[in-house]
Amino acid sequence: MGEGRRRGGHPRGGNAGDDGKTELVLVADDDRGARASARAALETLGFAVAEAADGDEALRVYLRDRPALVLLNVRMPGRDGVAVCETLRRERGEVDLPIVLMAGPEDSVALDRAFDAGATDFVTKPVPWNALAHRVRHLLRGSRAVADLRRSRASLTRAHELAGVASVEIDLASDELKASDTLRALTGFAESEAITLAARMGRS
């Protein structure tokens, strides 16, 4: 298989991101049959799928294609799924990216390692692929909601900053008008001028 084999999903399911494009899921597993099963289930729900056969290939495909979600087998040749997850979280700064790790039921240590590395979810093999595909859709909806909330908070913070730039206070008791430091720096409006203006307004 060529590196990062990718194929678009079927239109059913309507899984599109904010830009209207079909959402891409990266499936990394050294088991060709597992990748094929995951692809079939995900494409049925309308996702596009990219594949990787080991951890190093998974990172290369991620950097190239920027999938919306990453599905990693824990045990793979070379860099394992936990190491890939940790790299994406800590070195690449992918805080909101949904990352799902998979491991066999006998791998009890993998669960703790996965969540310590920043995994969003953990699935025990044998994987119920159809159910997992629906879980992927749910995780992506949650991820979009978090991203929308983060953008809203950033916009609100910016609005507060802009409001502070134009801040002007009028003390009716003393007839003093005070402009914010930022506004005076931008306009050259001196504090003495503000007080004089307030006094004139008081006499009018």
Side-chain angles (χ1 to χ4, degrees), residues 108-126:
S108 58
V109 178
L111 180 62
D112 290 336
R113 289 185 62 221
F115 286 115
D116 286 344
T120 309
D121 203 353
F122 186 90
V123 179
T124 301
K125 292 186 171 184

Side-chain angles (χ1 to χ4, degrees), residues 10-17 20-23 44-47 137 141 144:
H10 301 300
R12 193 177 82 181
N15 291 294
K21 296 181 180 179
T22 300
E23 289 181 304
T44 297
L45 290 185
F47 293 104
R137 184 161 61 180
R141 285 174 179 170
R144 288 194 296 269

Side-chain angles (χ1 to χ4, degrees), residues 62-135:
Y62 177 81
L63 293 174
R64 185 191 69 199
D65 294 342
R66 299 291 179 175
L69 182 144
V70 178
L71 185 61
L72 300 166
N73 187 27
V74 169
R75 303 297 179 188
M76 292 188 290
R79 195 189 310 237
D80 68 12
V82 174
V84 173
C85 178
E86 191 169 35
T87 298
L88 291 173
R89 290 284 190 243
R90 299 179 184 176
E91 296 183 20
R92 297 296 173 180
E94 294 293 353
V95 178
D96 298 327
L97 173 70
I99 302 176
V100 181
L101 272 77
M102 306 175 292
E106 72 286 350
D107 199 346
S108 58
V109 178
L111 180 62
D112 290 336
R113 289 185 62 221
F115 286 115
D116 286 344
T120 309
D121 203 353
F122 186 90
V123 179
T124 301
K125 292 186 171 184
V127 177
W129 293 111
N130 290 333
L132 179 61
H134 284 280
R135 187 182 299 187

Side-chain angles (χ1 to χ4, degrees), residues 30-75:
D30 57 326
D31 184 337
R32 185 189 299 268
R35 295 198 306 271
S37 296
R39 173 183 290 279
L42 290 165
E43 288 183 344
T44 297
L45 290 185
F47 293 104
V49 179
E51 296 181 26
D54 56 57
D56 291 325
E57 184 182 9
L59 285 174
R60 291 194 296 269
V61 174
Y62 177 81
L63 293 174
R64 185 191 69 199
D65 294 342
R66 299 291 179 175
L69 182 144
V70 178
L71 185 61
L72 300 166
N73 187 27
V74 169
R75 303 297 179 188

